[in-house]
Amino acid sequence: MPSRSTMPVGDTVLGIAALAFAAFLFWGSLDIPPPFFDPLGSAAVPKGCAVIIGLLGGAVLFRTLPGLGSRPAGEAPAFRPRPDIAAGFVVLTAAYVLMMEMGWMSFRWSTAGFVFLAGLLLGGPSVPVALISLGLAALMGFGGQYLFTQVFFIDLPM
């Protein structure tokens, strides 16, 4: 028996939207031509992503089935809504893309800044959170730069 959803209507909408997006993504990837040299080809990634999104959307939808109808009286949601964090992530992500698109910062510094600020946004401004975020930021920014440019040979911004 799946665990009950605390927001069955919202989770139902999310599950249906994820399934619809997965179907749209899979349908769009059918037009990608077959590969010439690569055994997987460029169509494998969007098809694989579509399958994963579809499975996760189906899992969310399946989880809502026992909770459809209404929430039991007196039962509070298992989380505290934080629209400020969601808005912060939208602004932070837009700034991350803008910095690289305009050529103001390289991939490594933009990624390091994004990860560090995201950690502070999620965990709150404290010394332990800042230290962990700083370590993860260095790993993702500088390690990602090395991995993409030296191992996968992918050109990154600046």
Side-chain angles (χ1 to χ4, degrees):
M1 179 62 102
S3 63
R4 266 178 65 147
S5 172
T6 57
M7 295 177 43
V9 175
D11 286 347
T12 301
V13 171
L14 176 66
I16 291 171
L19 287 173
F21 179 70
F24 178 74
L25 183 62
F26 194 86
W27 178 66
S29 68
L30 294 175
D31 292 337
I32 299 173
F36 293 111
F37 303 110
D38 189 3
L40 291 177
S42 56
V45 172
K47 285 179 183 173
C49 289
V51 168
I52 291 170
I53 292 169
L55 289 173
L56 292 173
V60 168
L61 200 55
F62 181 69
R63 187 173 169 240
T64 65
L65 293 177
L68 283 177
S70 65
R71 181 184 301 146
E75 186 177 323
F79 65 92
R80 183 173 59 113
R82 294 291 310 265
D84 56 330
I85 291 179
F89 262 98
V90 169
V91 170
L92 188 59
T93 304
Y96 173 65
V97 172
L98 182 68
M99 290 293 175
M100 288 187 290
E101 177 64 28
M102 299 304 288
W104 296 335
M105 291 181 90
S106 67
F107 172 83
R108 84 173 53 131
W109 289 108
S110 295
T111 301
F114 176 83
V115 172
F116 179 71
L117 293 174
L120 292 179
L121 189 61
L122 286 173
S126 68
V127 173
V129 169
L131 291 174
I132 292 170
S133 296
L134 189 61
L136 287 174
L139 179 68
M140 297 300 290
F142 293 91
Q145 175 86 20
Y146 177 81
L147 181 69
F148 288 130
T149 59
Q150 303 301 317
V151 177
F152 296 129
F153 302 109
I154 296 173
D155 291 329
L156 294 175
M158 296 179 5

